[in-house]
Amino acid sequence: MSTHDRRTHLKALLALGGTLFLSGCDRLSRSNWFPPILKSADRLNDAVQHALTPRKAMAREYSPEDIAPGFRANGSTNPKTPAYLELVSDNFGSYRLQVGGLVQSPVNLSLADIRALPSRTQITRHDCVEGWSAIGQWKGARLSALLEKVQPLPSARFLVFHCADRWGSAQTPYYESIDMEDAYHEQTLLAYELNNAPLPVANGAPLRLRVERQLGYKMAKYIMAIELVERFDHIGDGNGGFWEDRGYAWYAGI
Amino acid sequence: MTGTRSRNERFYRHRLPVRIAHWLNVLCMFIILLSGLQIFNAHPALYWGHDSDFESPWLSIGAYRDSEGKLEGRAYLGDRHIVTTGFLGVSSNADGEQERRAFPSWLTIPSSRWLAMGRNWHFFFAWILVINAAIYLAWSTFSGHLRDLTPTRTEWRGFGRSIVDHLLLRHPVGDAARRYNILQKLAYLLVIFGLGGLIVITGLCMSPRMDTVMDGIMSLLGGRQSARSLHFIAAVGFVLFVCIHLFEVVVTGLWNNLRSMITGQFDYPVEDDSASKKVEKSHEHS
């Protein structure tokens, strides 16, 4: 065998090896048993991030000149369901946020009620799981203030946000969940203003969640109801959120 | 080389921990790189600064329509672009259909567009790599292996000559072939502590949770989007290192090098007159 032949054979062997390896990775990705092994890294990420950062650590806040000219809207940009379009048509005058589940006093709040709650304004960076970032100024009711109003029961461990947007031909409702630590965090808001204007439909009107230490998909838009629960495995496919049900990490700190 | 014939001697070059760490690195780096390209494909544009100025990424890959309305893949560096149809921007998927995607399906894990699964692979094998690196560094420190990688003063003086030797593909013989040479040492140290450190730190800087305690270093790097750019550049650095590494492996004896990284045993040439010198020496003593 000449050197040339040997080289050609080696190249063919490497190409074959590479193809086999990659199709093997594809097969593992679609198997039932392998992804749970990969996803064990989610728990490690979660544990390490919580171990290395204080519970109340604050996300950086930027100055007004850092605000991006147009805040990118991603995911759903208009739920377009009849019920939602009706809310839009009367400028959310008939909107009511239902807060219930494991609480002592469930409430139904109008947008005016929510605006009357203690608020916070913050200029923060929004990091999308896709990789981009945008800086915007958010004003909203502090979620901790709302929790003080409804008095969570000791068994409540998570807040589930039920949203107006529906996805795909199955019209799957969007939902998200966070734990009490994030819910009581100083920067966690039910935002109703973006860059000094009422929250646009594209960005989640009338209310969207801000959990500044996690990625964008956690920050549910078009919030219609908040349910306090002990566990969330009965909701959706049981992973705590629309994107979590599609393989994304529940704790989206990275 | 007249008068001296060379022969081969075999010695135990790579200890077991080095060999295990090496092949784990190969597996991890391969998977992390290709799942990284899957993640990049979710938003194939890079920026400098804290956030994304969508109008002006410094690097981007995308699909565009050419003057005849046909799909054209383009890679942009600032305002300048090259047409990359078939490879970047527009490429065929497994079913042979043209698809808009930055890196082609045969360069991503998984091959289809699947960000969640790409992230699963990326993070899992990133942990394996980090744990592997930690064990390797601890072992290297205590076993003295780290000293094998530290350049000596004499070696620094031979720096220029080593570059010339490498360019002329002149390889060391005798005792020198048993040690890492100066360029090798610097390359490994630079990759482990330079690129390795940079890629871990920039990876962590992309975490909004970690940023609560890493704002200083994130700002020093220029912001989260700068960190993302540097993460990509560090990955390119790893690819360049692997290319040079593989080239050197091939030109200095593929099978010999491969064997030494599998069984540890390495053949190196010695000049035959060393044997005769030994004989002379023993004569002196007699």
Side-chain angles (χ1 to χ4, degrees), chain A:
Chain A
M1 206 159 57
S2 72
T3 322
H4 179 75
D5 279 348
R6 206 182 295 165
R7 203 167 288 167
T8 321
H9 280 93
L10 190 67
K11 269 186 196 161
L13 199 71
L14 282 176
L16 184 71
T19 312
L20 282 177
F21 185 85
L22 289 182
S23 63
C25 288
D26 277 354
R27 195 167 295 189
L28 288 174
S29 300
R30 283 189 301 265
S31 72
N32 287 325
W33 64 275
F34 194 68
I37 296 176
L38 290 180
K39 281 190 74 70
S40 62
D42 285 354
R43 286 198 295 276
L44 188 55
N45 285 343
D46 182 341
V48 170
Q49 290 172 63
H50 281 84
L52 294 181
T53 58
R55 246 158 42 87
K56 294 184 173 177
M58 299 280 279
R60 173 173 174 162
E61 296 190 15
Y62 290 83
S63 46
E65 54 268 28
D66 297 322
I67 294 174
F71 196 91
R72 174 173 278 216
N74 205 34
S76 308
T77 49
N78 191 339
K80 282 188 183 154
T81 60
Y84 183 78
L85 290 175
E86 209 181 300
L87 288 177
V88 174
S89 68
D90 81 335
N91 209 14
F92 300 102
S94 55
Y95 171 82
R96 293 291 180 276
L97 174 71
Q98 294 176 33
V99 187
L102 300 175
V103 295
Q104 265 169 21
S105 32
V107 290
N108 266 341
L109 301 176
S110 71
L111 214 46
D113 298 333
I114 294 163
R115 283 176 169 275
L117 288 169
S119 72
R120 193 174 196 278
T121 303
Q122 58 201 29
I123 301 172
T124 51
R125 196 190 64 229
H126 180 95
D127 298 327
C128 179
V129 69
E130 294 170 356
W132 52 269
S133 308
I135 294 174
Q137 177 181 291
W138 303 93
K139 182 181 181 188
R142 295 179 56 169
L143 192 53
S144 58
L146 177 66
L147 290 176
E148 270 160 38
K149 206 179 176 81
V150 297
Q151 294 290 312
L153 299 175
S155 56
R157 291 184 56 215
F158 303 101
L159 274 73
V160 179
F161 299 84
H162 298 281
C163 305
D165 45 336
R166 301 284 176 270
W167 284 66
S169 49
Q171 291 289 289
T172 313
Y174 197 91
Y175 75 104
E176 255 307 339
S177 59
I178 60 172
D179 60 13
M180 300 309 272
E181 178 185 314
D182 265 327
Y184 280 108
H185 187 265
E186 194 179 337
Q187 290 169 315
T188 301
L189 310 179
L190 294 172
Y192 43 72
E193 271 182 28
L194 168 60
N195 297 338
N196 289 316
L199 188 62
V201 167
N203 299 100
L207 273 190
R208 97 170 287 177
L209 180 64
R210 298 301 307 169
V211 251
E212 302 293 357
R213 302 180 299 178
Q214 296 200 54
L215 297 174
Y217 66 86
K218 294 298 288 188
M219 305 196 217
K221 295 152 95 170
Y222 318 109
I223 300 169
M224 295 291 127
I226 301 174
E227 182 188 2
L228 279 83
V229 296
E230 190 175 357
R231 46 199 303 157
F232 46 65
D233 45 14
H234 58 286
I235 303 168
D237 289 342
N239 300 296
F242 177 83
W243 289 113
E244 288 85 334
D245 286 340
R246 280 148 192 80
Y248 289 86
W250 179 78
Y251 189 75
I254 187 162

Side-chain angles (χ1 to χ4, degrees), chain B residues 93-257:
Chain B
N93 63 14
D95 302 323
E97 295 155 359
Q98 272 216 326
E99 205 183 355
R100 296 158 171 262
R101 53 184 295 150
F103 285 99
S105 62
W106 51 270
L107 264 184
T108 64
I109 293 178
S111 59
S112 56
R113 192 188 176 106
W114 193 356
L115 174 61
M117 190 54 74
R119 284 165 57 85
N120 288 343
W121 284 91
H122 201 72
F123 291 129
F124 183 85
F125 283 92
W127 275 114
I128 304 280
L129 186 73
V130 164
I131 293 165
N132 187 34
I135 294 173
Y136 168 83
L137 286 177
W139 174 82
S140 296
T141 307
F142 292 112
S143 70
H145 179 64
L146 208 55
R147 255 196 321 271
D148 299 344
L149 286 172
T150 317
T152 64
R153 197 167 291 181
T154 336
E155 285 174 328
W156 276 114
R157 279 199 289 272
F159 182 69
R161 200 185 54 236
S162 185
I163 291 179
V164 174
D165 284 346
H166 275 84
L167 291 175
L168 296 176
L169 307 183
R170 254 191 333 228
H171 311 302
V173 294
D175 267 358
R178 298 172 60 123
R179 296 188 296 266
Y180 292 121
N181 63 61
I182 175 79
L183 290 195
Q184 247 178 323
K185 290 181 178 184
L186 292 177
Y188 291 138
L189 290 177
L190 193 73
V191 165
I192 295 169
F193 296 105
L195 286 181
L198 182 67
I199 211 154
V200 169
I201 287 170
T202 51
L204 289 174
C205 281
M206 282 188 273
S207 153
R209 177 75 190 221
M210 290 306 298
D211 281 346
T212 59
V213 293
M214 292 180 68
D215 190 59
I217 188 147
M218 190 196 62
S219 298
L220 193 71
L221 294 172
R224 181 180 189 255
Q225 289 301 316
S226 295
R228 184 167 171 262
S229 290
L230 291 169
H231 196 71
F232 186 87
I233 289 170
V236 172
F238 271 104
V239 171
L240 289 177
F241 164 76
V242 169
C243 289
I244 296 169
H245 176 69
L246 289 179
F247 174 79
E248 290 290 339
V249 164
V250 171
V251 300
T252 59
L254 176 61
W255 302 116
N256 192 24
N257 280 314

